[in-house]
Amino acid sequence: MSTPSKSLAEIDTQLAQLVHATSAGAALPPHQSTQAKSAIRDGKIAMATSGLLTLGLSSRAPSQADILHGRNILEYSALYSIRSHDVPSFERFMAQLSPYWTTHRDLQPPSSWRSALIGLSLLQLLAKNEIGRFHTVLETLSGAESTKRSMAKSPNASSLLDEPNVRFPIELERWLMEGSYSKVWLARNSPPLPEAQFFLDQLMGTIRNEIASCGEKAYSVLPLRDAATLLFFSDAEELSDFIKQRPGWSVDQASQCVRFADSAKGIASDASEDLPKQRLIETHLAYARELESIV
């Protein structure tokens, strides 16, 4: 493994400058993007050499200054990964940050990026529809915050779970469980972080697929205008592209409707196996009379 020419402090400073030089949604110029990738690579090498990638497992005890630089490098790298839409790298950096935010938290000043990155990680889990992992992370955070308040003997101390960056995905998950998809749609207009927009767009894709799966079972045909409203599409071309991706969906241009082939089969099958309604009504009335006589 080659040794980076720059120190941890220099790499920390360089990444900070590159991250602050751009914003979410605004791609770095090619030369700065190359610099960022090179700095992240140098950071990995320097941290591995210093035992900072296996914090707590290495026989070498890094200094507090090195631990702080290591945390900063990982946080900037995670943020850059989101801005460049590199989700696998974001997940790796988040996993490597865990000991810095938990076991070795007391050796560093508070992180200014922790709540933002945790909020983005929770959003990513929602976008992937990994609700189980979402709640596991929340339970872990809740337990850690309870321990922190207990040790500080300050039950009213502020909690990470109350931070806007973390409250945002928690609220979104509650609305998803309620089926209040319109609230999720409106929340796209006011995310606490611009980087959240990337995962919010993915989340809307997940929601549309859930709505579509239910809709094709509930309807045999649906007007295009209603389908656009139901699926939160304001652009006819986007709706058309979505319909083309759904197996069994087709557009009837004459009636301006979308037809669901599988749903039509399901309805026909249900109709052929319809229960004798009259007999059911008579049976329920008989039960009701029996219960009334017993009372």
Side-chain angles (χ1 to χ4, degrees), residues 161-174:
L161 299 178
D162 295 325
E163 299 256 353
N165 293 323
V166 179
R167 287 301 314 167
F168 184 68
I170 293 174
E171 288 291 311
L172 290 180
E173 192 271 342
R174 181 168 63 83

Side-chain angles (χ1 to χ4, degrees), residues 14 18 28-41 80:
Q14 183 184 11
L18 289 167
L28 280 171
H31 72 282
Q32 287 187 325
S33 179
T34 301
Q35 289 176 1
K37 291 175 182 177
S38 177
I40 290 172
R41 182 178 63 250
Y80 176 79

Side-chain angles (χ1 to χ4, degrees), residues 89-123:
S89 292
F90 172 72
E91 291 179 329
R92 286 193 295 271
F93 288 127
M94 288 298 293
Q96 291 167 341
L97 275 165
S98 181
Y100 288 87
W101 288 340
T102 53
T103 312
H104 296 80
R105 181 175 57 188
D106 295 336
L107 300 178
Q108 317 151 62
S111 166
S112 57
W113 287 107
R114 185 186 177 210
S115 69
L117 290 170
I118 287 176
L120 290 170
S121 181
L122 289 170
L123 266 180

Side-chain angles (χ1 to χ4, degrees), residues 42-89:
D42 288 346
K44 290 177 182 177
I45 296 172
M47 290 180 69
T49 304
S50 305
L52 291 167
L53 289 180
T54 53
L55 204 58
L57 301 176
S58 175
S59 57
R60 180 182 300 182
S63 66
Q64 284 188 243
D66 282 351
I67 290 176
L68 177 59
H69 291 311
R71 186 196 72 185
N72 290 344
I73 289 170
L74 289 174
E75 289 180 344
Y76 290 135
S77 299
L79 193 62
Y80 176 79
S81 297
I82 287 299
R83 291 184 178 180
S84 57
H85 298 175
D86 185 356
V87 177
S89 292

Side-chain angles (χ1 to χ4, degrees), residues 39-277:
I40 290 172
R41 182 178 63 250
D42 288 346
K44 290 177 182 177
I45 296 172
M47 290 180 69
T49 304
S50 305
L52 291 167
L53 289 180
T54 53
L55 204 58
L57 301 176
S58 175
S59 57
R60 180 182 300 182
S63 66
Q64 284 188 243
D66 282 351
I67 290 176
L68 177 59
H69 291 311
R71 186 196 72 185
N72 290 344
I73 289 170
L74 289 174
E75 289 180 344
Y76 290 135
S77 299
L79 193 62
Y80 176 79
S81 297
I82 287 299
R83 291 184 178 180
S84 57
H85 298 175
D86 185 356
V87 177
S89 292
F90 172 72
E91 291 179 329
R92 286 193 295 271
F93 288 127
M94 288 298 293
Q96 291 167 341
L97 275 165
S98 181
Y100 288 87
W101 288 340
T102 53
T103 312
H104 296 80
R105 181 175 57 188
D106 295 336
L107 300 178
Q108 317 151 62
S111 166
S112 57
W113 287 107
R114 185 186 177 210
S115 69
L117 290 170
I118 287 176
L120 290 170
S121 181
L122 289 170
L123 266 180
Q124 182 219 0
L125 294 176
L126 285 183
K128 292 167 64 178
N129 204 23
E130 295 187 4
I131 305 300
R133 283 184 62 194
F134 179 91
H135 284 287
T136 298
V137 172
L138 281 186
E139 287 296 325
T140 303
L141 291 174
S142 179
E145 290 299 302
S146 296
T147 302
K148 175 185 171 183
R149 286 195 297 269
S150 175
M151 293 180 66
K153 297 181 181 180
S154 179
N156 297 322
S158 62
S159 169
L160 177 68
L161 299 178
D162 295 325
E163 299 256 353
N165 293 323
V166 179
R167 287 301 314 167
F168 184 68
I170 293 174
E171 288 291 311
L172 290 180
E173 192 271 342
R174 181 168 63 83
W175 293 333
L176 288 173
M177 295 302 101
E178 293 173 355
S180 302
Y181 298 137
S182 59
K183 291 183 179 179
V184 179
W185 173 254
L186 292 173
R188 291 173 68 256
N189 299 322
S190 55
L193 287 168
E195 289 83 4
Q197 198 63 53
F198 172 64
F199 289 130
L200 285 171
D201 291 340
Q202 290 187 346
L203 177 59
M204 284 311 303
T206 301
I207 289 173
R208 286 183 176 119
N209 285 323
E210 288 291 322
I211 294 173
S213 297
C214 295
E216 65 191 11
K217 292 177 177 62
Y219 304 102
S220 59
V221 64
L222 197 63
L224 284 173
R225 182 180 298 177
D226 294 345
T229 301
L230 194 65
L231 295 167
F232 301 99
F233 282 119
S234 55
D235 184 88
E237 189 173 344
E238 290 181 352
L239 175 61
S240 178
D241 291 341
F242 182 83
I243 290 172
K244 290 174 184 176
Q245 295 171 9
R246 299 291 302 185
W249 286 32
S250 61
V251 175
D252 186 336
Q253 295 294 350
S255 61
Q256 285 293 288
C257 291
V258 56
R259 297 189 178 278
F260 313 113
D262 294 339
S263 177
K265 293 176 185 176
I267 290 173
S269 173
D270 291 344
S272 64
E273 298 174 9
D274 223 6
L275 291 171
K277 298 181 179 63

